[in-house]
Amino acid sequence: MIKMVDLLVRRDGYSHEEFAERWQGDHAELARELPGLRRYVTSLPANPEQADFDGVLELYFDDMAALGAAFDSDIGQEVQEDAAEFIDVEAGPRLIVEETVQLDEIHD
């Protein structure tokens, strides 16, 4: 399983609350349609005034080919264009990782 993790920073002109509403609302509805997407997680900081980032994005795919195909698709292009309207896509780091679960009491 491949996971893409983005630490997100909102664009100038958006409050954290406006960012969160857009990201977890209309944008999430669109992003859920990415082909090959296996899991989609958005996380907001508990104390946004003291956080360096406005959100954490986790997208799961079977492999790197599936991740690439998702963003090369028409819906992938639409997702990226929509994100660029309210996310400063160059501001936060991105990691592509292979997840190793050490403990999962939620699913046990």
Side-chain angles (χ1 to χ4, degrees), residues 45-102:
N47 193 347
E49 303 81 31
Q50 296 179 349
D52 291 333
F53 302 98
D54 290 285
V56 179
L57 170 67
E58 298 172 81
L59 300 177
Y60 292 74
F61 296 90
D62 286 332
D63 52 36
M64 288 299 295
L67 186 154
F71 286 100
D72 287 342
S73 70
D74 289 343
I75 190 73
Q77 295 299 310
E78 192 176 343
V79 166
Q80 291 174 86
E81 290 168 9
D82 186 64
E85 292 181 11
F86 66 99
I87 297 170
D88 184 345
V89 295
E90 302 297 320
R94 170 177 287 169
L95 297 168
I96 307 292
V97 299
E98 289 190 38
E99 184 176 70
T100 302
V101 177
Q102 304 296 339

Side-chain angles (χ1 to χ4, degrees), residues 10 12 15 30 41 43 58 61 67 70 87 89 103 105 108:
R10 69 185 183 271
D12 289 341
S15 69
L30 180 63
V41 179
S43 302
E58 298 172 81
F61 296 90
L67 186 154
I87 297 170
V89 295
L103 175 69
E105 299 228 357
D108 287 348

